[in-house]
Structure formats: C-alpha cells, structure tokens
Amino acid sequence: MTAPLALVAAMHQELAAVLDLLPDERKTVVAGREFWRGHLHGQEVIAVLCRIGKVAAATTATALIEHFGVREIVFTGVAGGLGPGVRVGDVVVAEAFLQHDLDASPIFPRHEVPLYGRSRFATDPALTQRLADAVRQALPDAGLHRGLIVSGDRFVSSTPEARALQAELPDALAVEMEGAAIAQVCHDYDVAYAAVRTISDRADDAAHGDFTQFVETVASPHSAAIVQALLSER
Ligand code: SAH
C-alpha cells in the first residue's frame, strides 16, 4: 500500500473546499489539529489546516510524517506577490524556499539556517512538475510563475517593507508565512514537498484589502481545482 499524500491548506475556507472533494473523510486529532483522512480519485489523502506561521507549519508537517507516515506533502494557499509581474490572482509554484526573517549574522551569513550550511531548500522536482501541470490543466488562463518563495513570521503589508524584501532577495516571487518551515522539515525527513500559492495581495500598503473575500471567491476554488487536477492525473 502506498503512503497517503498530505494536502495542507493555509485557510479554513480552502480546507473546506478540499474536504468537499473527499467522499469519505474521517477526523483524527493530533497535536490539537484535525487531520482528515479520506480518498480522492482512489488515492489515500490526509487534509489538514496548518494554521499561520512557521512554527505551526513545522508542527503540522512533523505530525504528518511521524504520526501518519506521509511521504509527500502538497501545500495550497495564498501569498503576497513580490516579483515584477506577479499579480493578484496569479499562481506561483515554488521551486525553493528561504526564511527571509532568519538572521544569525555575523556568526552565519544572513538567511542561512544555522548548521545546515544553506539558506534555500528546494522542493521535490517531480512532485513540483506534477503540481505545475495540474495548475495549467485546472487554471489554463491564470498567470503561472515558478521559482523562489520566501517565508517569515510577518504579514508583509507595507510598501517600504515589500521594497526592502525585493531589494534584498531580487529573485523572490512571493512572500508568505509557512512554506520555508515545511521545506526544512521535509528536507530533514527526506519527504517530497511541493507548494502552490495564489497571489492575494502585493504585500504593500493595500495588502489588507478584502483578504477574506479573496480567499473565498478566488483562492478556495483555485485550490480545489488544482487538487482535483493533481490527483486525477495519477
Ligand atoms: N488578514 C488576514 C491575515 C492572515 S495572515 C486574516 O485576517 O486572515 C496571511 C496568510 O496568508 C498567511 O498564512 C500567509 O502565508 C499568507 N499571506 C498572504 N499574503 C501575505 C503577505 N503579504 N505577507 C505574508 N503572508 C501572506
């Protein structure tokens, strides 16, 4: 029997859209989180809301791997656009993650994860390609970008802060609050990881906007359509 595939969502509206696709989900509570096990297109999946921030995301990934024996994690969520041409409603598939708020300098170079000798953690190439193919199939008209996503424990919502990140990390396409933590856990356990984010804002002074409405009307249907396409193609 193959190990279940984990579907991790950032917002409860998104998780609800994914759970609507599972005909037979059953709940298990571990580490205060609800893990929903079920099937989608004959494949065993576990869906979970990771909550917001790097520590919450790391706990969720660890529970998925240690408790449920997961060997593949797919994250769907929203992010702020940083790269030029990365617009609200576009989709970014991550090829690598970095923690933009990690700084143990001068002992270690800025952004380097101490004692790992690296600042960037790559996603799994094969799972990432399948995810990008699923995005193309599910959302043929959406702007699709692939590359670096940066994470930190901060909702980036001011133009000066967005500009500072763009200057510091010119190849960063988007910013969010969980992805790099999951990438580090998956690196530690040698588990395949892929992530997709719909751009909800530009991380600038207008970032607050109508975030909740965007998640409901755009991000949740995006996630559900991408997950459907990903699992139907297996
Ligand atoms: N105002 C929202 C904030 C949620 S935090 C609310 O009240 O619900 C933002 C979530 O979306 C995080 O999980 C993060 O991963 C992602 N995100 C979207 N835009 C972001 C940005 N500009 N900066 C950081 N995280 C962002």
Side-chain angles (χ1 to χ4, degrees):
M1 215 185 89
T2 53
L5 175 113
L7 300 169
V8 183
M11 315 285 289
H12 66 87
Q13 298 94 326
E14 271 192 284
L15 181 70
V18 168
L19 290 183
D20 283 346
L21 303 175
L22 309 184
D24 60 344
E25 76 274 12
R26 310 181 305 285
K27 181 173 80 174
T28 309
V29 176
V30 174
R33 289 158 168 71
E34 296 177 346
F35 292 80
W36 297 90
R37 309 170 75 161
H39 291 82
L40 189 52
H41 298 291
Q43 155 91 45
E44 195 180 346
V45 299
I46 302 186
V48 61
L49 191 66
C50 76
R51 303 186 188 165
I52 294 172
K54 291 189 296 182
V55 175
T59 300
T60 306
T62 306
L64 281 168
I65 296 164
E66 287 281 3
H67 192 88
F68 296 98
V70 158
R71 304 298 304 159
E72 290 175 306
I73 296 180
V74 173
F75 191 103
T76 66
V78 291
L82 286 180
V86 180
R87 299 190 175 83
V88 172
D90 284 1
V91 175
V92 177
V93 171
E95 291 190 336
F97 280 99
L98 170 150
Q99 296 181 47
H100 69 77
D101 59 350
L102 183 53
D103 185 1
S105 63
I107 308 162
F108 297 96
R110 181 120 194 246
H111 300 134
E112 185 169 305
V113 182
L115 310 180
Y116 282 69
R118 63 167 78 200
S119 57
R120 295 178 183 223
F121 290 81
T123 53
D124 181 74
L127 192 56
T128 295
Q129 185 58 49
R130 279 180 41 212
L131 188 58
D133 291 344
V135 173
R136 263 287 147 264
Q137 194 191 319
L139 308 164
D141 300 326
L144 173 61
H145 311 265
R146 293 174 66 160
L148 178 69
I149 297 182
V150 297
S151 313
D153 286 318
R154 217 158 57 221
F155 183 67
V156 180
S157 57
S158 82
T159 302
E161 207 186 334
R163 291 219 173 109
L165 278 176
Q166 287 159 341
E168 201 171 50
L169 297 159
D171 63 334
L173 297 176
V175 59
E176 38 84 314
M177 302 177 68
E178 299 83 16
I182 301 181
Q184 188 174 330
V185 172
C186 287
H187 166 84
D188 289 345
Y189 283 99
D190 196 21
V191 161
Y193 177 46
V196 59
R197 296 267 182 171
T198 298
I199 299 303
S200 55
D201 59 86
R202 280 286 304 173
D204 56 11
D205 292 337
H208 280 296
D210 203 346
F211 192 82
T212 311
Q213 202 201 332
F214 179 86
V215 169
E216 265 160 29
T217 58
V218 182
S220 297
H222 269 196
S223 291
I226 293 165
V227 164
Q228 276 275 32
L230 180 72
L231 289 172
S232 62
E233 135 249 327
R234 284 201 150 207

